[in-house]
Amino acid sequence: MCGFFISNSKEMDSFSEISIEKHLRFRGPDGSSGLIIQNGWASYHSRLSIVDLSSGVNQPVINHDKSQLVFNGEILNFKDLGYKYFNKSYKSDTYLLNDLIVNDYLDLVELDGFFAFVFIDSNGKLKHACRDKFGVKPLFYYEDNNGISFSSEPNILKHFFSTKVNPKAIKEYKAFRAPIFSGSFFKGIKQIEPGNCYIKGEYFSAEKELYTDDLQSKSKNSLTQAIEKGVSSRCVSDAPIGLLLSKGVDSNLIRFSGDFNKLYTVGFDGDEDIEYLIKENIPNLKAFKVNEEQFRVAFQNLLKLRQEPLSVPNEVLLYLIASEAKKDGIKVLLSGEGADEFFGGYDRIFTWASKISQFDLDSFLKLYSYEPVSKNNFLYRYIKKIFQECSISDPFELVRWFFIRFHMPVLFRRLDFALMAAGVEGREPLANHHIFDICKS
C-alpha cells in the first residue's frame, strides 16, 4: 500500500518535494523516493511495505527504456500470473505488473486485487492510468492546458494547482456524506472511475454484469468457496495481519473463514457492539474503548491531514483502532465492507426495493439521503439521469447497482484514508470478483 504523485505539467518546476512529503508521506511511512524528474514527468512514491519487505523503496519502477510505473495497492494473484506469463516465481507484485505492461501481456480483468497505477511509456506518453473494478483504491487527477497530474490524495493537487472548493460537491456531501458524483471536493479534481482506465476506457462494468439474462443459480458450496477464496487471497502478505471485528455478519463471516490471532474492535464505553464482543470472551480480541478527548484529538488530526470533511464519525474510530493495531506490529487489517452492497444488506432500502414493481426516485431519496434533495436543484436532476440511463429495470437490482457503483467506493475511501493515516493497509475480503460472480446470480 502506497501513495504516489505523477505529473507532466509544465508547472512542475514549481513543485515542492517538501509539500509532496507533507501531503503523501503518511501513505507510505516505510520510505519514499523523493521527487524524480524522468522523461518529462515528475514522480513521487511513498511505500508501506506489505509484500517483499526487504526490497525497500522500489518505486517508481524505471525501466531501461525510460518507461516508468507508479502503483498503489496489491495484485494478490501475482505469483500465479508470474508462472502463467513468464514461467517464474515473483517476489513482488509491483515488478510482475511492470513486466506484464512492458511485455504487452496486461489484461486488467485478470488482476485479482485492489489497485491504482499509472504507466508512462518510453516516449513519455501516458499509456495506463487504471483503477480496480470496484474502486477500492483511489486515483485522483487534475488536467489543464499545461498537462495532467495523478495522485493518491486530492489535497496535493489542490495545493499545487490552487483549485477552489466545488459548491456542487458540498451539496452532495450534505445529502450523501460524500461527493459521490463530483469525485472530489475541489473544482477540476476528478477520479478515475472504478473499472476504468483513463486511456482505454471501461474494462469492467457492474451494470453490464448485473444486467444479463445469462444468470445461473449457484450452490451454497460455491458461495462458501468464493468467500474462502476472497479471505485467503486477502491474507497474502509478508507483514502481520489482523481483523476488524464487530457483531455484524460480515466481519464474523471473515473471522470464521480464516485463521486470525489478532482481532480488534473499538467504540465508546456503553456502545452496543463493543460491550457485546467483550462479553463473548473471544480469544485474541483487543477491545479499545475511546474517550471523548481521544476522539476530539484524533478528529482534529485527521481533518488537518485530509484537508476536507470526514464522512461519518466512524472514520475517527477506525483511525484510533488502526493506531492501536499498529502498536502491535500489525500492518494489514481486514474489514467487512462490500457485503451489504453485494447481497442487499441494508434492510430499510433493500426491503423497500424488493416489494415494489417500479422504481421511484423520490421514495429512494427519502430512504437514502441525509437531508432532502429538492427537485429544483442540479443534484436531483443528475441522480434522475443516472437511474434513467441505467439499463437495469428490476428495482432491486437497480438499487443494488447504485450501491455497488456509487456507495461502495465511499466506504472504501473512508477505510483507506483512516487506516493509511495510522500506517496500516485496509483490505476488504468480501468485496472481490470471486464473491461478486456468485452474488450477481
Side-chain angles (χ1 to χ4, degrees):
M1 191 67 69
C2 311
F4 67 73
F5 169 83
I6 187 166
S7 173
N8 69 349
S9 174
K10 295 176 183 178
E11 301 178 33
M12 71 172 66
D13 289 342
S14 65
F15 295 167
S16 164
E17 184 175 322
I18 295 175
S19 294
I20 297 176
E21 285 273 320
K22 177 182 176 181
H23 291 91
L24 285 179
R25 184 57 191 271
F26 77 93
R27 295 190 63 92
D30 292 333
S32 73
S33 66
L35 186 62
I36 296 173
I37 308 298
Q38 168 73 27
N39 208 11
W41 291 79
S43 57
Y44 168 92
H45 187 272
S46 59
R47 186 184 186 211
L48 173 65
S49 53
I50 303 296
V51 175
D52 191 21
L53 303 181
S54 63
S55 64
V57 177
N58 60 357
Q59 292 191 52
V61 178
I62 300 177
N63 299 297
H64 295 302
D65 63 357
K66 297 185 179 181
S67 62
Q68 64 174 306
L69 168 72
V70 285
F71 164 55
N72 170 32
E74 312 286 352
I75 308 299
L76 300 169
N77 60 337
F78 72 95
K79 288 187 178 291
D80 293 337
L81 294 174
Y83 282 114
K84 176 179 179 179
Y85 288 104
F86 304 104
N87 195 30
K88 68 176 185 178
S89 176
Y90 276 79
K91 293 183 179 180
S92 166
D93 57 341
T94 300
Y95 293 129
L96 178 277
L97 177 60
N98 180 73
D99 288 354
L100 288 175
I101 297 171
V102 168
N103 291 279
D104 207 23
Y105 292 149
L106 180 65
D107 179 357
L108 291 167
V109 176
E110 275 193 316
L111 303 183
D112 181 9
F114 36 93
F115 54 82
F117 65 86
V118 174
F119 186 87
I120 310 302
D121 71 14
S122 59
N123 297 314
K125 292 185 178 180
L126 177 64
K127 184 174 181 179
H128 294 288
C130 305
R131 194 174 176 201
D132 61 74
K133 294 176 183 176
F134 300 111
V136 176
K137 293 296 115 188
L139 184 53
F140 297 92
Y141 71 98
Y142 176 84
E143 185 174 16
D144 61 16
N145 293 332
N146 291 317
I148 189 167
S149 305
F150 298 90
S151 179
S152 303
E153 293 289 335
N155 52 22
I156 187 63
L157 299 174
K158 177 198 70 155
H159 175 74
F160 281 152
F161 300 107
S162 302
T163 59
K164 305 298 183 182
V165 172
N166 183 356
K168 292 184 177 180
I170 299 300
K171 289 185 179 295
E172 292 173 38
Y173 174 78
K174 289 180 178 180
F176 308 127
R177 293 297 182 266
I180 61 176
F181 305 124
S182 296
S184 84
F185 284 98
F186 310 107
K187 290 182 178 180
I189 299 179
K190 303 176 183 178
Q191 284 201 66
I192 300 298
E193 302 292 350
N196 272 260
C197 173
Y198 177 86
I199 297 297
K200 299 185 178 181
E202 185 178 73
Y203 70 90
F204 174 84
S205 166
E207 176 186 351
K208 292 177 182 177
E209 293 290 326
L210 293 171
Y211 181 70
T212 177
D213 295 327
D214 188 26
L215 294 179
Q216 301 175 359
S217 61
K218 303 292 176 66
S219 67
K220 290 182 180 179
N221 184 56
S222 63
L223 176 57
T224 300
Q225 291 177 349
I227 292 172
E228 291 175 348
K229 175 69 173 177
V231 173
S232 63
S233 65
R234 268 61 187 170
C235 288
V236 172
S237 172
D238 295 327
I241 293 178
L243 172 63
L244 291 174
L245 189 66
S246 70
K247 70 172 189 176
V249 173
D250 42 18
S251 62
N252 279 281
L253 194 59
I254 298 170
R255 173 189 165 201
F256 289 112
S257 299
D259 183 17
F260 303 98
N261 56 19
K262 293 286 186 179
L263 300 94
Y264 297 87
T265 192
V266 64
F268 290 98
D269 188 33
D271 281 356
E272 186 177 348
D273 269 35
I274 195 169
E275 299 297 348
Y276 171 84
L277 291 171
I278 290 173
K279 290 178 181 178
E280 287 294 295
N281 294 314
I282 298 169
N284 303 313
L285 174 66
K286 185 173 185 177
F288 180 54
K289 289 189 176 182
V290 177
N291 61 45
E292 292 182 3
E293 179 62 14
Q294 289 170 319
F295 186 93
R296 184 188 67 80
V297 171
F299 176 68
Q300 291 177 342
N301 288 341
L302 289 175
L303 280 179
K304 183 178 180 180
L305 184 63
R306 188 162 172 173
Q307 298 184 12
E308 63 184 42
L310 305 184
S311 61
V312 292
N314 190 49
E315 283 192 68
V316 182
L317 297 179
L318 286 170
Y319 165 72
L320 287 168
I321 195 58
S323 299
E324 287 297 305
K326 182 72 172 180
K327 295 176 184 177
D328 296 336
I330 297 296
K331 298 185 79 171
V332 177
L333 281 172
L334 272 57
S335 186
E337 278 81 0
D340 286 320
E341 289 74 22
F342 280 3
F343 293 100
Y346 298 108
D347 288 346
R348 186 176 55 148
I349 292 181
F350 281 103
T351 298
W352 164 78
S354 68
K355 293 180 179 179
I356 60 175
S357 58
Q358 186 172 353
F359 178 78
D360 179 70
L361 179 59
D362 293 336
S363 298
F364 171 78
L365 288 175
K366 286 180 181 179
L367 294 169
Y368 183 69
S369 304
Y370 284 87
E371 69 173 29
V373 179
S374 169
K375 290 185 177 182
N376 297 322
N377 72 32
F378 81 96
L379 189 53
Y380 184 93
R381 295 190 295 271
Y382 189 82
I383 299 171
K384 182 178 180 179
K385 183 173 182 287
I386 285 174
F387 279 110
Q388 287 178 336
E389 292 179 349
C390 182
S391 55
I392 300 170
S393 58
D394 179 81
F396 184 91
E397 295 300 335
L398 184 61
V399 171
R400 189 158 67 128
W401 162 76
F402 178 87
F403 270 85
I404 292 171
R405 174 59 187 81
F406 294 103
H407 183 84
M408 198 162 65
V410 174
L411 306 187
F412 295 149
R413 170 63 174 160
R414 179 189 306 167
L415 185 76
D416 176 79
F417 177 81
L419 269 59
M420 289 304 299
V424 175
E425 174 177 287
R427 294 184 180 180
E428 302 86 353
L430 303 180
N432 65 81
H433 73 268
H434 307 292
I435 296 174
F436 179 74
D437 288 342
I438 299 296
C439 79
K440 71 181 183 182
S441 62

